[in-house]
Amino acid sequence: MVKSSKKQVTKFVIDCNQPVADKVLDVASFEKYLHDRIKVGGKTNNLGDNVTITRDATKLTVTATDIAFSKRQLKYLSKRYLKKQQLRDYLRVVAKSKNSYELRYFSISAGDEEEEAE
């Protein structure tokens, strides 16, 4: 009996539209950071053919084939990158859908209204 080998493909998208439009974030350096830091089999720099990272103008797409890949790891690495670039105080990583994240600015207008009332 021959087993049908269906490849399990997991695809995650990180949308960096707002920070890139304001020229706060460089998508190329973010892609390189992810490429250097994503772990496969417990080791970094072990992407091989299993994980591919592609870049559009404002989006990064991480595609994992035949391996278990965690969306949570992408969020962790995104937050570490923002911290390294000293952008963590202004940007946050929000789940936009089941397989995508978005980098958004913190909404700080609510705090300003309270200060004016005093």
Side-chain angles (χ1 to χ4, degrees):
M1 186 172 186
V2 178
K3 291 184 179 179
S4 63
S5 60
K6 255 191 172 177
K7 290 188 175 184
Q8 178 187 2
V9 177
T10 311
K11 191 174 183 180
F12 298 111
V13 177
I14 302 175
D15 185 12
C16 311
N17 194 16
Q18 292 176 348
V20 171
D22 294 339
K23 297 181 182 176
V24 174
L25 184 83
D26 181 26
V27 180
S29 66
F30 188 26
E31 178 188 20
K32 182 174 180 352
Y33 182 85
L34 289 177
H35 188 276
D36 294 343
R37 301 286 196 302
I38 288 179
K39 288 186 177 184
V40 176
K43 298 178 183 176
T44 57
N45 289 331
N46 191 21
L47 296 183
D49 296 332
N50 294 332
V51 177
T52 57
I53 303 173
T54 56
R55 168 179 42 144
D56 293 337
T58 61
K59 292 184 181 181
L60 286 174
T61 305
V62 179
T63 308
T65 309
D66 287 339
I67 60 168
F69 190 76
S70 172
K71 182 181 171 189
R72 183 77 184 141
Q73 183 185 10
L74 275 183
K75 184 171 185 177
Y76 171 75
L77 290 173
S78 300
K79 288 166 78 171
R80 277 192 57 193
Y81 176 77
L82 292 175
K83 184 72 171 176
K84 182 181 171 191
Q85 300 295 321
Q86 298 176 345
L87 296 172
R88 187 78 177 96
D89 295 334
Y90 311 107
L91 292 170
R92 63 185 184 147
V93 183
V94 179
K96 194 161 103 175
S97 68
K98 185 177 178 184
N99 61 351
S100 69
Y101 281 119
E102 180 181 19
L103 297 182
R104 288 189 189 163
Y105 288 106
F106 281 109
S107 58
I108 54 174
S109 62
D112 294 338
E113 293 172 2
E114 292 175 6
E115 291 175 7
E116 290 175 7
E118 292 178 2

